[in-house]
Amino acid sequence: MMNFRTDLALEMRENQEGEIPGVEVTIEEDETQGITVTWVSIETAEGATTMQKPIGNYVTLEAPVMKENDPQIHEEIAKILAKKLGRLHKLEENSVILIVGLGNRNVTPDALGPQVCEKILVTRHLGDEVPHELKGKLRAVSALAPGVMGITGIETAEIIKGVSEKIKPDLIIAIDALAARKTSRINATIQISDAGVNPGAGLGNRRTPINRESMGVPVIALGVPTVVDAATLVNDTMEAMLTAMKDHAPQEEAFLNMLGGLQEEERYHLITEILSNGNMFVTPKDVDAVITRLSNIIANTLNISLHPGITVEDVNRYL
Amino acid sequence: MMNFRTDLALEMRENQEGEIPGVEVTIEEDETQGITVTWVSIETAEGATTMQKPIGNYVTLEAPVMKENDPQIHEEIAKILAKKLGRLHKLEENSVILIVGLGNRNVTPDALGPQVCEKILVTRHLGDEVPHELKGKLRAVSALAPGVMGITGIETAEIIKGVSEKIKPDLIIAIDALAARKTSRINATIQISDAGVNPGAGLGNRRTPINRESMGVPVIALGVPTVVDAATLVNDTMEAMLTAMKDHAPQEEAFLNMLGGLQEEERYHLITEILSNGNMFVTPKDVDAVITRLSNIIANTLNISLHPGITVEDVNRYL
Amino acid sequence: MMNFRTDLALEMRENQEGEIPGVEVTIEEDETQGITVTWVSIETAEGATTMQKPIGNYVTLEAPVMKENDPQIHEEIAKILAKKLGRLHKLEENSVILIVGLGNRNVTPDALGPQVCEKILVTRHLGDEVPHELKGKLRAVSALAPGVMGITGIETAEIIKGVSEKIKPDLIIAIDALAARKTSRINATIQISDAGVNPGAGLGNRRTPINRESMGVPVIALGVPTVVDAATLVNDTMEAMLTAMKDHAPQEEAFLNMLGGLQEEERYHLITEILSNGNMFVTPKDVDAVITRLSNIIANTLNISLHPGITVEDVNRYL
Amino acid sequence: MMNFRTDLALEMRENQEGEIPGVEVTIEEDETQGITVTWVSIETAEGATTMQKPIGNYVTLEAPVMKENDPQIHEEIAKILAKKLGRLHKLEENSVILIVGLGNRNVTPDALGPQVCEKILVTRHLGDEVPHELKGKLRAVSALAPGVMGITGIETAEIIKGVSEKIKPDLIIAIDALAARKTSRINATIQISDAGVNPGAGLGNRRTPINRESMGVPVIALGVPTVVDAATLVNDTMEAMLTAMKDHAPQEEAFLNMLGGLQEEERYHLITEILSNGNMFVTPKDVDAVITRLSNIIANTLNISLHPGITVEDVNRYL
């Protein structure tokens, strides 16, 4: 059993060597922009067990340029993401969509979901009051940021399920801040998946999954890793150091192998004990600016992929 | 048909002279603190029509001292309110309560509901994890601030109804910012009612009522007037002036009577036309500090009345 | 002595009939966009006394389209404003600029200044660390939102003066929320002036002026009316009604004239008494969205006019 | 040269074995509450060099109970701190105090300073308008949260110096979020010092110190460690592990000693390289609630120690 925390299927895959039965991986690279899109498909129960993730498709867009403040590249990323979203889930003309912003708006690296919600072109309440020039260009979209269980006393899945049974969406899209294992992926990676959101994601402690099974409608999860679990970070850095040291102290290889290989689980346990507070996370200093920028990219992605005949310019105009 | 906007039953009553069939009014005064509590009971359909408010009890606590920043008086007000709440709705030992914070957290005078929610001692999710010394002292309380329809695309009543059907509370308490008619009542008055929340309250434009009928469980509405509708303010000030002028220009009485009495509706219509923007409200300058203070009073009221054996000190300790 | 509150020179001018010695008015209209720019120049002490405003130029841009959420029009407005700003004050290549965001960030209609500050491309601290491709394209710009006196205990003018003496800017630009007299001008008007900011503007109660004399460097004030003083609104609406009624009740003209003309000051005094709380303001319901939008327009105006060779696109890229 | 980041003099002392010439340490323990107060006095230039901290007194209050939400203990801590503050700097009856809240209000763990400022009983602007019953009970206190250099373009020290020269305080108190080395000290420790604030504290990158020398008036720094530098955390955890492993693998002692001792600096360098992003910090998940609570404790400490004859209850009343 693994303790390392990551919400990225890509990193679960990287964690294992050789082929994994029941798991397919396809990589698409965009050479001009340095954007890599990886499709990880978990197709069998065996694959799900090995990956410790439910059956489904996990599309990861990695783009170091995402960190740069370049609106043109951000628009490009939004367009690529919108296409992948369209492949993951085909919308009908009259599809009704509920967007859910998970996370705590008062903790900066967990505020991604609530911030996206504030930038969504919501239209479901307009009914026939849609401006004339927009007729036929909009789907019925709603957006809810319910808040975390510590503040509401209600599991997020219960709130979403209750609202969903009232407004009967054809698709739920859940936005969340995630935890990655590699610091280089922080704020530079977007994962979309049709497998829903798993418990314990990101900073939160959500226990009931939000997925097609629990909600009764398809669920797309869209997340960005904004933090690394502190114990995971320590462990991985240590491992990287041990590897590096083998070159300097080859005669100690046997010992290092023991350290590096055998006792992985024990080591992680020891680290969390040393850290004394297991609930700590690692995040970059400029996290406030980064969350603002990422929420723009994701809101744009959703606004243009959910509303047919709407462009980024239109969004700015009618929001 | 009246256009003047007020969410206070007390002001609807004041608006009419003589006795109103089907409407009972009882006044309780606390001489030492200058606090007045008025019970308005609308008991018949006829009374409801005259009052333009649904059948039910409306308890209004007026306390000019509420504006002063005196924690002792605020605690006193919280205790009085808690008692009235207990008379309006009798809780069972195992009652489950859902608190709903209506309004827009981004518009200062409308943020009362969301701010109260953040100060509630929520407990429903604790289940058996309640600390030992609190066993038996807490009811299952949850709190949700769903956001306004313009941001969610969903009517607030739909959200509450959906969540309510999931978590099955025995009582819903809806907190809202209201509109009053008299500026002297702004931020100095609290109304609690078992008649639910009516559409169009305060700053918002909520159309479906949140009440026992729509929700299927009892609903207590708790509100504070934080604004006056601009057109109402102009009209009432003008009326007061006309009255004052009668003394100075008694020979013009016939004309003034015409102005002051006959054309009330027409006059209001004219004012809104002159104002050119009907969606304006009047609020005091220190509204940010006032909302913070009021949300403390109301959260304290709820925390001590919903949790048996919990005092204000306990609340501070466990929140 | 007049009591009506307006921070717009344009409205002070409108308030008086006929020519005013020492005051020049020029109107420029942009027919395609419906934008009107009015230059009011107060040139003599006599003009200043009549206008109750200091000597200087006051440029008012009125654009009802400002309220519409059209990014193209907003960009157009930013460009027009930038030109007028360039005429009011000629910058040197090496000019150092200090932008000051006045007002209280916690009261929505007063948060314009602080919100603009967060969107300014500040560069003064970069020194030689300016990215290579931006060399020669940036002036040294800094931005400070000092907070209101009730929270700091310090007059805003003192803070600005102190900081200004340290960083020695060639120009101070003060952004503020203003009070207008006409509701139609709320959030649809921008005033820029080289006469500085006068005491008591907008919602605040700033007593020491921020101008060239007090600061020792040129001061440009840039403001948007976001509120109307409640008593002023009541008074003006009443006046408009009395005018309207003359047609309906011509025989009462003598009385109406008395009401409407003679006792203006007394009437205002009576109104504030009736309102019982003199510190109330009127503002539209969607004030949060409006302030966000206006702060974008103004920040764009400043970013493109202060940094030579920088476009709106560049701003987005480097902010 | 050491790279480990800590802003606590106590941790710099712990880092070295044996006596340090020019550095005195006194420990006071409060057995009933589990509160430890340590005075570290750096008395000579030699001591300052060894400690890598300027000459002065550093008082550290450690209280694991600080993390518990117990208002009585928080009040107790505020009273102890107020006494230590009184010993560090003796105020005169007419002393004028400027409180400065350092840090970025938009990044939760860095928002301590700005949040404290909002809870200070500022009085300097009242002058003779002090309520009658408070005459003689208040000192002239002001509070400024200037924002970080990345947003203002101005070094914080420049802003404070400029304002200080205007309002001429007798004492500046600078509040800041700090970085500690041990996670157990996060949010459970308060350091006050008369040596001012050093560059690079906490999350920020402030370069010019704020101290008696730079400001021309005495400066007290009051800080709470809210984060651990990620690279420091990894290093220290690794060191603790190596120590633990000596027991399990004593035959490798020579190798472990080399790892643990010799190459400390090189190791840290290697870690930061592996982390690839040097600007990351570690903080607990409930950081929003913790910062709110800590800012209450510190504001109370300042309110009761700066205003003679004012109690915590009075503060609540007049704030």
Side-chain angles (χ1 to χ4, degrees):
Chain A
M1 209 190 69
M2 286 263 309
N3 285 293
F4 306 122
R5 281 201 48 200
T6 175
D7 298 313
L8 298 177
L10 183 64
E11 292 191 335
M12 291 304 283
R13 180 67 193 82
E14 284 174 351
N15 203 39
Q16 324 218 8
E17 281 168 37
E19 205 149 307
I20 304 179
V23 178
E24 288 298 320
V25 177
T26 321
I27 298 175
E28 304 164 8
E29 278 182 70
D30 177 331
E31 292 187 9
T32 53
Q33 305 272 10
I35 298 172
T36 308
V37 176
T38 310
W39 287 72
V40 176
S41 297
I42 303 180
E43 292 165 352
T44 64
E46 188 192 356
T49 305
T50 318
M51 292 283 284
Q52 295 176 50
K53 293 221 154 265
I55 289 173
N57 297 291
Y58 300 82
V59 186
T60 313
L61 183 151
E62 292 177 273
V65 286
M66 211 185 290
K67 288 180 181 173
E68 288 169 37
N69 200 355
D70 188 328
Q72 272 179 305
I73 287 176
H74 292 181
E75 209 174 312
E76 191 59 34
I77 291 172
K79 283 178 187 164
I80 295 175
L81 261 185
K83 264 187 228 159
K84 308 300 175 194
L85 198 59
R87 265 171 67 192
L88 263 190
H89 184 88
K90 181 109 188 91
L91 289 170
E92 301 300 319
E93 207 179 296
N94 297 321
S95 291
V96 171
I97 298 105
L98 171 60
I99 294 171
V100 179
L102 306 176
N104 183 345
R105 76 183 73 228
N106 296 324
V107 175
T108 320
D110 202 29
L112 181 72
Q115 283 197 18
V116 168
C117 280
E118 301 215 340
K119 295 167 181 170
I120 293 297
L121 185 55
V122 297
T123 48
R124 180 183 167 275
H125 61 307
L126 296 178
D128 296 335
E129 291 171 43
V130 170
H132 185 259
E133 70 273 26
L134 289 178
K135 294 259 192 241
K137 291 185 168 180
L138 301 173
R139 286 202 183 85
V141 172
S142 50
L144 188 69
V148 293
M149 191 171 69
I151 285 172
T152 62
I154 315 173
E155 277 215 60
T156 306
E158 289 182 286
I159 297 175
I160 306 309
K161 174 79 164 163
V163 173
S164 175
E165 287 178 1
K166 279 291 138 218
I167 72 175
K168 300 195 189 312
D170 299 296
L171 175 66
I172 294 173
I173 300 179
I175 316 298
D176 204 3
L178 305 178
R181 189 164 171 179
K182 283 195 187 166
T183 55
S184 61
R185 288 209 172 92
I186 295 299
N187 302 323
T189 306
I190 300 175
Q191 175 179 271
I192 44 178
S193 167
D194 56 10
V197 171
N198 272 331
L203 294 177
N205 296 291
R206 286 172 291 276
R207 283 171 296 193
T208 309
I210 298 172
N211 56 28
R212 182 195 279 260
E213 200 184 340
S214 66
M215 293 296 131
V217 290
V219 174
I220 295 283
L222 196 162
V224 175
T226 63
V227 298
V228 177
D229 170 64
T232 300
L233 179 76
V234 171
N235 183 80
D236 288 0
T237 314
M238 199 174 300
E239 180 140 333
M241 283 196 68
L242 291 169
T243 306
M245 287 189 306
K246 281 188 196 171
D247 300 335
H248 295 87
Q251 74 284 9
E252 308 288 352
E253 192 172 349
F255 169 68
L256 288 165
N257 281 343
M258 180 197 69
L259 252 184
L262 202 69
Q263 304 158 310
E264 189 159 45
E265 211 183 313
E266 202 184 325
R267 196 173 62 196
Y268 183 87
H269 187 69
L270 189 52
I271 291 170
T272 54
E273 255 182 21
I274 292 169
L275 289 181
S276 87
N277 181 341
N279 278 318
M280 306 203 68
F281 63 82
V282 181
T283 201
K285 283 182 189 171
D286 59 345
V287 61
D288 58 332
V290 167
I291 294 289
T292 301
R293 217 179 296 154
L294 287 169
S295 63
N296 283 336
I297 296 178
I298 294 171
N300 269 342
T301 300
L302 296 178
N303 284 325
I304 63 176
S305 47
L306 302 183
H307 297 302
I310 284 284
T311 64
V312 170
E313 288 74 35
D314 293 326
V315 171
N316 292 335
R317 188 175 217 134
Y318 294 105
L319 198 55
Chain B
M1 208 192 69
M2 284 263 309
N3 285 293
F4 306 123
R5 280 200 49 200
T6 175
D7 298 313
L8 298 178
L10 183 64
E11 292 190 336
M12 292 304 284
R13 181 64 193 82
E14 284 176 350
N15 203 39
Q16 325 218 8
E17 281 169 37
E19 205 149 306
I20 305 178
V23 178
E24 289 298 320
V25 178
T26 319
I27 297 175
E28 303 164 9
E29 278 182 71
D30 176 331
E31 293 188 7
T32 52
Q33 306 272 9
I35 298 172
T36 308
V37 176
T38 310
W39 288 71
V40 176
S41 297
I42 303 181
E43 292 165 353
T44 65
E46 187 191 358
T49 305
T50 318
M51 291 282 285
Q52 294 176 51
K53 293 221 153 262
I55 289 174
N57 297 290
Y58 301 81
V59 186
T60 313
L61 182 151
E62 292 177 272
V65 285
M66 211 185 292
K67 288 180 181 173
E68 288 169 37
N69 200 354
D70 187 328
Q72 271 179 306
I73 287 175
H74 292 180
E75 209 176 310
E76 190 61 32
I77 291 172
K79 284 179 187 165
I80 295 175
L81 261 184
K83 263 187 230 161
K84 308 301 175 195
L85 197 59
R87 265 171 68 191
L88 264 189
H89 184 89
K90 180 108 188 91
L91 289 170
E92 300 301 319
E93 206 178 298
N94 296 321
S95 292
V96 171
I97 298 106
L98 171 60
I99 294 171
V100 179
L102 306 175
N104 183 345
R105 75 183 74 228
N106 296 324
V107 175
T108 319
D110 202 28
L112 181 72
Q115 283 198 18
V116 167
C117 280
E118 302 216 338
K119 295 168 182 169
I120 293 296
L121 183 57
V122 297
T123 50
R124 179 183 167 276
H125 60 308
L126 296 179
D128 295 335
E129 292 171 43
V130 170
H132 186 259
E133 70 273 26
L134 289 178
K135 293 258 193 245
K137 291 185 168 181
L138 302 173
R139 286 202 183 84
V141 172
S142 50
L144 189 69
V148 293
M149 192 171 69
I151 285 172
T152 63
I154 316 172
E155 277 214 61
T156 306
E158 289 182 287
I159 297 175
I160 306 309
K161 175 80 164 163
V163 173
S164 175
E165 287 178 0
K166 279 292 138 217
I167 72 174
K168 301 194 189 311
D170 300 295
L171 175 66
I172 293 173
I173 300 179
I175 316 299
D176 203 2
L178 306 177
R181 190 163 171 182
K182 283 195 186 164
T183 56
S184 61
R185 288 211 171 92
I186 294 300
N187 302 324
T189 306
I190 300 175
Q191 174 179 273
I192 45 178
S193 165
D194 55 11
V197 171
N198 273 332
L203 295 176
N205 295 292
R206 287 172 290 276
R207 282 171 296 193
T208 310
I210 299 172
N211 56 27
R212 181 194 280 260
E213 201 183 340
S214 68
M215 293 296 131
V217 290
V219 174
I220 295 284
L222 194 161
V224 175
T226 62
V227 298
V228 177
D229 169 65
T232 300
L233 180 76
V234 170
N235 183 80
D236 288 359
T237 314
M238 198 175 298
E239 180 140 333
M241 283 196 70
L242 291 170
T243 305
M245 288 188 306
K246 280 189 196 171
D247 300 335
H248 295 88
Q251 75 283 10
E252 308 288 352
E253 193 174 347
F255 169 69
L256 287 166
N257 280 344
M258 179 196 71
L259 251 182
L262 202 67
Q263 304 158 311
E264 188 158 46
E265 213 183 313
E266 202 183 322
R267 196 175 62 195
Y268 183 88
H269 187 70
L270 189 52
I271 291 170
T272 54
E273 255 181 22
I274 292 169
L275 288 182
S276 88
N277 181 341
N279 278 318
M280 305 203 67
F281 63 83
V282 181
T283 200
K285 283 179 190 172
D286 59 347
V287 61
D288 58 332
V290 167
I291 294 290
T292 301
R293 217 179 297 155
L294 287 169
S295 63
N296 283 335
I297 296 179
I298 294 171
N300 269 341
T301 300
L302 296 177
N303 284 325
I304 62 175
S305 46
L306 301 183
H307 296 304
I310 285 283
T311 64
V312 170
E313 287 74 34
D314 292 327
V315 170
N316 292 335
R317 188 174 218 137
Y318 295 106
L319 197 55
Chain C
M1 208 191 70
M2 286 261 310
N3 285 292
F4 307 122
R5 279 201 51 199
T6 175
D7 297 314
L8 299 178
L10 184 63
E11 292 191 335
M12 291 304 283
R13 180 66 193 83
E14 285 175 351
N15 203 40
Q16 325 219 6
E17 280 168 40
E19 203 149 308
I20 304 179
V23 178
E24 289 298 319
V25 178
T26 320
I27 298 175
E28 304 164 8
E29 278 182 71
D30 176 331
E31 292 189 7
T32 52
Q33 307 270 10
I35 297 172
T36 309
V37 175
T38 310
W39 287 71
V40 176
S41 297
I42 304 181
E43 293 163 353
T44 63
E46 187 191 356
T49 305
T50 318
M51 292 283 284
Q52 295 175 50
K53 292 220 155 266
I55 288 174
N57 296 290
Y58 301 81
V59 187
T60 313
L61 183 151
E62 292 177 273
V65 286
M66 211 186 292
K67 288 180 181 174
E68 287 169 38
N69 199 355
D70 188 327
Q72 271 179 306
I73 288 176
H74 291 181
E75 209 174 311
E76 191 59 34
I77 292 172
K79 284 178 187 165
I80 295 175
L81 261 185
K83 262 186 232 160
K84 308 300 175 195
L85 197 59
R87 265 173 65 194
L88 263 189
H89 184 89
K90 182 108 187 91
L91 289 170
E92 300 301 319
E93 206 179 296
N94 296 321
S95 291
V96 171
I97 299 105
L98 170 61
I99 295 172
V100 179
L102 305 176
N104 183 344
R105 74 183 76 228
N106 296 324
V107 174
T108 319
D110 201 29
L112 181 71
Q115 283 197 19
V116 167
C117 279
E118 302 215 339
K119 294 166 181 170
I120 292 297
L121 185 56
V122 295
T123 50
R124 180 182 167 278
H125 60 307
L126 297 178
D128 295 335
E129 292 171 42
V130 170
H132 185 259
E133 70 273 26
L134 288 178
K135 295 258 192 243
K137 291 185 169 181
L138 302 173
R139 285 203 185 85
V141 172
S142 50
L144 188 69
V148 293
M149 190 171 69
I151 285 171
T152 62
I154 315 173
E155 278 214 61
T156 306
E158 288 182 286
I159 298 175
I160 306 310
K161 174 78 164 164
V163 173
S164 175
E165 288 179 359
K166 280 289 139 219
I167 72 175
K168 300 193 189 313
D170 299 296
L171 174 67
I172 293 173
I173 300 180
I175 317 299
D176 204 2
L178 306 177
R181 189 163 171 180
K182 284 196 187 165
T183 56
S184 62
R185 288 209 171 94
I186 294 300
N187 303 323
T189 306
I190 300 175
Q191 174 179 273
I192 42 178
S193 167
D194 55 10
V197 171
N198 272 331
L203 294 176
N205 294 293
R206 284 172 292 277
R207 283 171 295 192
T208 309
I210 298 171
N211 56 28
R212 182 195 279 258
E213 200 185 338
S214 66
M215 294 295 131
V217 291
V219 174
I220 295 284
L222 195 162
V224 176
T226 63
V227 299
V228 177
D229 169 65
T232 300
L233 180 77
V234 170
N235 183 81
D236 288 358
T237 314
M238 198 173 301
E239 180 140 334
M241 284 197 68
L242 290 170
T243 305
M245 285 188 308
K246 282 189 193 170
D247 301 336
H248 295 89
Q251 75 283 9
E252 308 288 352
E253 194 172 346
F255 170 68
L256 288 166
N257 281 343
M258 179 197 70
L259 253 183
L262 202 68
Q263 303 159 310
E264 189 157 45
E265 211 184 313
E266 201 183 325
R267 195 172 64 196
Y268 183 87
H269 187 69
L270 189 51
I271 291 171
T272 54
E273 254 181 22
I274 291 169
L275 289 181
S276 85
N277 181 342
N279 279 318
M280 306 203 68
F281 63 82
V282 181
T283 200
K285 283 182 190 171
D286 59 346
V287 62
D288 57 332
V290 167
I291 294 289
T292 301
R293 217 179 297 152
L294 288 169
S295 62
N296 283 336
I297 297 178
I298 293 171
N300 269 341
T301 301
L302 295 178
N303 284 325
I304 61 176
S305 47
L306 301 183
H307 296 302
I310 285 285
T311 65
V312 170
E313 288 73 35
D314 292 326
V315 170
N316 292 334
R317 190 174 216 135
Y318 295 105
L319 197 55
Chain D
M1 207 191 71
M2 285 262 309
N3 286 293
F4 306 122
R5 279 199 51 198
T6 176
D7 297 313
L8 298 179
L10 183 65
E11 292 190 335
M12 291 304 282
R13 181 66 194 81
E14 285 175 350
N15 203 40
Q16 324 220 6
E17 281 168 38
E19 204 149 306
I20 304 180
V23 178
E24 289 298 319
V25 177
T26 320
I27 299 176
E28 304 164 7
E29 279 184 69
D30 176 332
E31 294 189 6
T32 53
Q33 306 270 10
I35 299 172
T36 308
V37 176
T38 309
W39 288 72
V40 176
S41 296
I42 304 181
E43 293 165 353
T44 64
E46 187 191 357
T49 305
T50 318
M51 293 283 285
Q52 295 176 50
K53 292 221 154 264
I55 289 174
N57 296 290
Y58 300 82
V59 187
T60 314
L61 183 152
E62 293 177 272
V65 286
M66 212 185 291
K67 288 180 179 172
E68 288 169 37
N69 199 354
D70 188 326
Q72 272 180 305
I73 287 176
H74 292 180
E75 210 175 310
E76 191 60 33
I77 291 172
K79 283 178 188 165
I80 294 175
L81 261 185
K83 263 187 231 160
K84 308 300 175 196
L85 198 58
R87 265 172 66 192
L88 264 190
H89 185 88
K90 181 109 189 89
L91 289 171
E92 301 299 318
E93 207 178 297
N94 296 321
S95 291
V96 171
I97 299 106
L98 170 61
I99 294 171
V100 178
L102 306 176
N104 183 343
R105 74 183 76 228
N106 296 324
V107 175
T108 319
D110 201 29
L112 181 72
Q115 283 197 20
V116 167
C117 280
E118 301 215 339
K119 295 168 181 168
I120 292 297
L121 183 58
V122 296
T123 49
R124 180 182 166 277
H125 61 307
L126 296 179
D128 295 335
E129 291 171 42
V130 170
H132 185 260
E133 70 273 27
L134 288 178
K135 293 259 193 245
K137 291 184 168 181
L138 302 172
R139 286 202 184 85
V141 172
S142 51
L144 188 69
V148 293
M149 190 171 70
I151 286 172
T152 62
I154 315 174
E155 276 214 61
T156 307
E158 288 181 287
I159 298 176
I160 306 308
K161 174 79 165 163
V163 173
S164 174
E165 287 178 0
K166 279 291 140 221
I167 71 175
K168 300 195 191 312
D170 299 296
L171 174 66
I172 294 174
I173 300 179
I175 316 298
D176 203 2
L178 305 178
R181 190 164 172 180
K182 284 196 186 164
T183 56
S184 61
R185 288 211 171 92
I186 295 299
N187 302 324
T189 306
I190 300 175
Q191 175 179 274
I192 44 178
S193 166
D194 55 11
V197 171
N198 272 331
L203 295 176
N205 296 291
R206 284 173 292 277
R207 282 173 295 192
T208 308
I210 298 172
N211 56 27
R212 182 195 279 258
E213 200 184 339
S214 68
M215 292 297 132
V217 290
V219 174
I220 295 284
L222 195 162
V224 176
T226 63
V227 299
V228 177
D229 169 64
T232 300
L233 180 76
V234 170
N235 182 82
D236 288 359
T237 314
M238 197 173 301
E239 180 141 333
M241 283 196 69
L242 291 171
T243 305
M245 287 188 308
K246 281 189 194 171
D247 301 334
H248 294 87
Q251 74 284 10
E252 309 287 352
E253 193 173 347
F255 169 68
L256 287 166
N257 280 343
M258 178 197 70
L259 252 183
L262 201 68
Q263 303 159 310
E264 188 158 46
E265 213 183 312
E266 202 183 323
R267 195 173 63 196
Y268 182 88
H269 186 70
L270 189 52
I271 291 171
T272 54
E273 255 182 21
I274 292 169
L275 289 182
S276 87
N277 182 340
N279 279 318
M280 307 203 68
F281 64 82
V282 182
T283 200
K285 283 180 190 171
D286 58 345
V287 60
D288 57 333
V290 167
I291 294 290
T292 301
R293 216 179 298 152
L294 287 169
S295 63
N296 283 335
I297 296 178
I298 294 171
N300 270 340
T301 299
L302 295 178
N303 284 326
I304 61 175
S305 46
L306 302 183
H307 296 303
I310 285 284
T311 64
V312 170
E313 288 73 36
D314 292 326
V315 170
N316 292 334
R317 189 174 216 137
Y318 295 105
L319 198 55

